[in-house]
């Protein structure tokens, strides 16, 4: 049971929002991060590894319960299975390995084995080690860009969702580092593969994703860090497509939230596909656009995430259409300014 | 008479003390639906149009549901808007939580009751000693007793669930039964420290040291499980079932001592086919003190009470946390689940009293060295728990704390600590 502690770096492409009981983003909340990690592990386990997944309840929320599981062949408890396996194989297998196999015998899904469920403690603990606070002022946001001509103004929505209690500014979090504590067995067998898989991809963490927040690149500190090498135009297993639109010319010195771009795309789409592709209240979107990112040049990411737990998929053709639409619009606007 | 009998009136503008707070959360009547309020306000509901009746009805409503009159939004239209904003189309239940959040806990997001009489009472009745009294107290105890006292500050929220069904928050925090003060139970401390102790045991690579910590563990926390009974029976010749004994031994090692079992240990257990062999094994692995005369088992291997008494900790702040499980298919939150927690930054007080009641017949030197080891190990375990966390959801870092500067142990004889712990500012109290 050798312990393993790794520092996981959430490199925020756009800052994080994790709302507390007051729906304010007062601190980075570990429960939010843990929930996101678990979700992305489930996606990885289901879609990439083709492994067994959690049992869900009526609300489609994890309902695994160790107490309810019984070995189909012989009705025995985990303790009994574990002892028997230990006596049989303890010589050449590690403690955690035997535990893992005993849980496999009982039929507990791997995500629940790792992140815990009723009657089973999580094998992964996290502790937030550092983060950077960033303020976003209401006055700093451009609600029109870049679609002035279309008369699109998102002020009402942004105000009613993000600034509902405080009208002047909100706090966001950047570059979160967390200490992930587990043991070598679970790391080597499940987690290292998971982090390795996502290291050149974007995942969503926390809330207010449709506003453009929470786009994160997840990396294990100390590992090869070829930044942005692959995020540019990536597609895997039909689950996620990412397209980067670069060199946007923008001269208004205000911040633009991803919500503006998404709102534009949504309005351009035919009514019957809107809800399906862009979500609605109580159902998430399949299309996300990042905030306008101001590095050396202005760029945004257009992302399509096809939830593998759901069967609705945005086909290549549609994604390409959105890509083109956004590109053309940003480009023509840029040209005018240039 | 009020229209709804279950109503218990509380002046909600006056939620200042803990008892008011708990009454608010516990007994406050929940008007189940908007309709009930409409019953007061509007006599006739024709063609889905509401007609406001006289002032008398409004007064009745205010009397029965005082929170409405406290609401700034109390006007005919605004009130329903207010309910709607709080997702209360069907139930006004959320209104109460919203009120709790926004009007009782307010901007600092805490409910503070640091000067509360109930808190003072419960501390007194639970026998939590002040510094001066502790010093006098320990002198009256058997030799080599000690008291550990330390203040600590929570680094993350603490939560442990109370089983109160009638409460506006779905997960109320564990509270003292009579005084309703949020607490960590003494048994909570015992459990947390015992599991931290197991880590201490596993960290020892030196075999003899490991056995010493096991001895210390059994002395402090006691033993009384099935498995130790089986071992006891076997060693006292009451049972001769070798197979059962081996299983129970393994169970004891695994589940009670929490030792990691390696290849060698397993082989050793499997190899043993006689009483003598297992006797030797026990001596090597669990206790050096196993005597040849099996009638006098060492105390550690008998069912016995532990030497330490763990006191509860009470807190003077409450706050809220929320989790929102997400629908896997829709990838959106289902229904937020509130947790009543003790917020980070709250201070608490830990007290442990160690009385070597079973040491009367022991030599002074032996007893002293036992107490010293136990003190040292307990303090190390406290440092460990502070990192692991106490209570529920420790995987999120909840329940971690930092021990404040003023941390002492009181004793009636000389007990020395290692330099390492002195460096961490664990000091002997001297008057």
């Amino acid at each position: 049971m050798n312990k393993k502690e790794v520092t996981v770096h959430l490199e925020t492409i756009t800052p994080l929002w994790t709302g507390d009981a007051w729906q304010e983003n007062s601190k980075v909340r570990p429960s939010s991060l843990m929930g996101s990690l678990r979700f992305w592990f489930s996606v990885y386990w289901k879609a990439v590894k083709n492994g067994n997944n959690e049992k869900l309840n009526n609300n489609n929320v994890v309902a695994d319960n160790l107490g309810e599981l019984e070995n189909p062949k012989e009705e025995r408890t985990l303790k009994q299975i574990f002892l028997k396996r230990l006596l049989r194989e303890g010589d050449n297998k590690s403690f955690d390995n035997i535990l893992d196999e005993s849980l496999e015998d009982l039929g507990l899904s791997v995500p629940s084995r790792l992140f815990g469920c009723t009657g089973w403690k999580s094998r992964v603990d996290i502790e937030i080690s550092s983060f950077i606070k960033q303020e976003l002022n209401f006055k700093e946001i451009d609600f029109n860009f870049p679609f002035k001509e279309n008369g699109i103004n998102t002020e009402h929505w942004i105000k009613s969702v993000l600034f509902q209690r405080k009208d002047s500014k909100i706090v966001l979090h950047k570059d979160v580092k967390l200490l992930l504590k587990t043991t070598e067995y679970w790391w080597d067998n499940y987690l290292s593969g998971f982090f390795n898989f996502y290291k050149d991809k974007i995942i969503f963490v926390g809330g207010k994703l449709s506003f453009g927040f929470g786009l994160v690149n997840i990396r294990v500190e100390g590992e090869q860090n070829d930044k942005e090498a692959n995020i540019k135009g990536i597609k895997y297993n039909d689950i996620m497509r990412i397209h980067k639109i670069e060199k946007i010319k923008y001269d208004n010195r205000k911040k633009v939230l991803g919500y503006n771009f998404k709102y534009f795309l949504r309005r351009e789409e035919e009514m019957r596909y809107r809800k399906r592709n862009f979500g609605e209240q109580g159902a998430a979107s399949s299309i996300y656009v990042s905030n306008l990112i101001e590095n050396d040049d202005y760029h945004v990411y257009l992302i399509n995430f096809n939830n593998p737990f759901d069967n609705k998929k945005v086909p290549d053709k549609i994604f390409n259409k959105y890509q083109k639409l956004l590109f053309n619009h940003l480009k023509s606007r840029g040209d005018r300014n240039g | 008479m009020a229209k709804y009998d279950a109503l218990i009136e509380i002046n909600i503008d006056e939620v200042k003390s803990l008892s008011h707070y708990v009454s608010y959360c516990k007994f406050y009547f929940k008007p189940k639906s908007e309709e009930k309020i409409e019953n007061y306000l509007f006599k006739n509901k024709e063609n889905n149009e509401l007609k406001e009746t006289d002032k008398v009805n409004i007064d009745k409503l205010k009397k029965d549901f005082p929170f409405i009159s406290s609401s700034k939004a109390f006007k005919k239209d605004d009130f329903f808007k207010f309910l709607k904003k709080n997702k209360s189309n069907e139930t006004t239940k959320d209104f109460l939580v919203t009120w709790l959040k926004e009007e009782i806990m307010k901007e600092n997001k805490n409910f503070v009751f640091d000067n509360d009489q109930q808190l003072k009472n419960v501390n007194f009745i639970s026998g939590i000693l002040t510094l001066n009294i502790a010093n006098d107290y320990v002198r009256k105890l058997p030799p080599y007793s000690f008291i550990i006292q330390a203040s600590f500050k929570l680094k993350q929220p603490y939560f442990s669930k109370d089983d109160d069904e009638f409460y506006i928050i779905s997960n109320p925090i564990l509270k003292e039964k009579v005084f309703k003060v949020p607490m960590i139970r003494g048994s909570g401390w015992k459990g947390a420290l015992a599991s931290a102790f197991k880590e201490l045991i596993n960290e020892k690579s030196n075999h003899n040291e490991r056995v010493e910590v096991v001895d210390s563990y059994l002395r402090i926390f006691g033993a009384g499980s099935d498995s130790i009974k089986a071992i006891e029976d076997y060693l006292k010749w009451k049972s001769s079932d070798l197979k059962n004994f081996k299983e129970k031994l393994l169970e004891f090692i695994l589940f009670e001592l929490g030792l990691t079992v390696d290849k060698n240990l397993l082989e050793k257990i499997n190899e043993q086919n006689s009483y003598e062999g297992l006797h030797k094994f026990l001596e090597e692995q669990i206790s050096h003190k196993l005597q040849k005369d099996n009638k006098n088992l060492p105390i550690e291997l008998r069912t016995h009470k532990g030497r330490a008494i763990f006191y509860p900790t009470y807190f003077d702040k409450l706050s809220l946390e929320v989790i929102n499980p997400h629908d896997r298919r829709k990838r959106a939150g289902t229904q937020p689940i509130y947790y009543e927690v003790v917020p980070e930054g709250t201070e608490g007080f830990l007290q442990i009293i160690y009385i070597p009641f079973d040491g009367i017949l022991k030599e002074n030197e032996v007893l002293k060295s036992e107490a010293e080891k136990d003190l040292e190990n307990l303090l190390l375990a406290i440092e460990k728990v502070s990192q692991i966390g106490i209570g529920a959801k420790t995987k999120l870092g909840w329940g971690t704390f930092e021990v404040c500067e003023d941390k002492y142990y009181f004793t009636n004889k000389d007990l020395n600590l290692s330099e390492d712990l002195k460096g961490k500012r664990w000091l002997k109290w001297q008057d």
Side-chain angles (χ1 to χ4, degrees), chain B residues 120-257:
Chain B
K120 285 179 194 159
N121 289 346
V122 76
N123 269 311
F124 177 73
I125 288 173
S126 303
I128 291 162
L129 308 167
T130 56
L131 291 178
N132 292 330
I133 296 176
N135 205 32
D136 290 340
Y137 192 85
V138 77
R139 286 168 203 280
K140 295 175 195 153
L141 297 175
Y144 299 108
S145 296
F146 59 79
I147 302 178
I148 297 172
Q149 286 197 333
S151 311
F152 63 90
K153 200 178 198 176
L154 288 173
K155 283 205 263 182
Q156 289 265 343
Y158 159 76
F159 177 76
S160 177
K161 196 180 174 191
D162 204 25
D163 55 358
D164 194 343
E165 292 292 326
F166 302 100
Y167 210 78
I168 55 166
I169 301 153
S170 39
N171 293 296
I173 195 166
L174 175 68
K175 296 188 194 73
E176 203 276 336
K177 194 165 184 179
V178 175
F179 292 92
K180 294 290 169 197
V181 182
M183 74 186 301
I184 301 174
R185 271 195 212 292
S187 56
W189 278 117
K190 185 178 178 183
L193 287 165
S195 74
F197 226 94
K198 290 169 185 171
E199 286 199 19
L200 289 181
I201 298 174
N202 281 323
E203 276 169 15
K204 299 279 181 204
S205 49
N206 179 317
H207 188 73
N208 287 341
E209 278 178 0
R210 188 155 134 163
V211 174
E212 272 183 5
V213 186
V214 171
D215 275 348
S216 177
Y217 171 84
L218 292 170
R219 273 198 302 269
I220 294 173
F221 298 98
S225 65
D226 265 5
S227 40
I228 198 125
K229 276 179 196 145
I231 296 171
E232 194 181 15
D233 281 353
Y234 190 85
L235 293 179
K236 282 187 175 173
W237 297 106
K238 279 187 191 165
S239 143
S240 54
D241 185 350
L242 191 70
K243 191 172 162 282
N244 177 44
F245 172 68
K246 274 196 206 172
E247 260 174 37
K248 290 290 174 189
L249 183 64
L250 199 58
E251 238 181 79
F252 178 67
I253 291 173
L254 281 171
F255 301 115
E256 269 187 67
L257 298 179

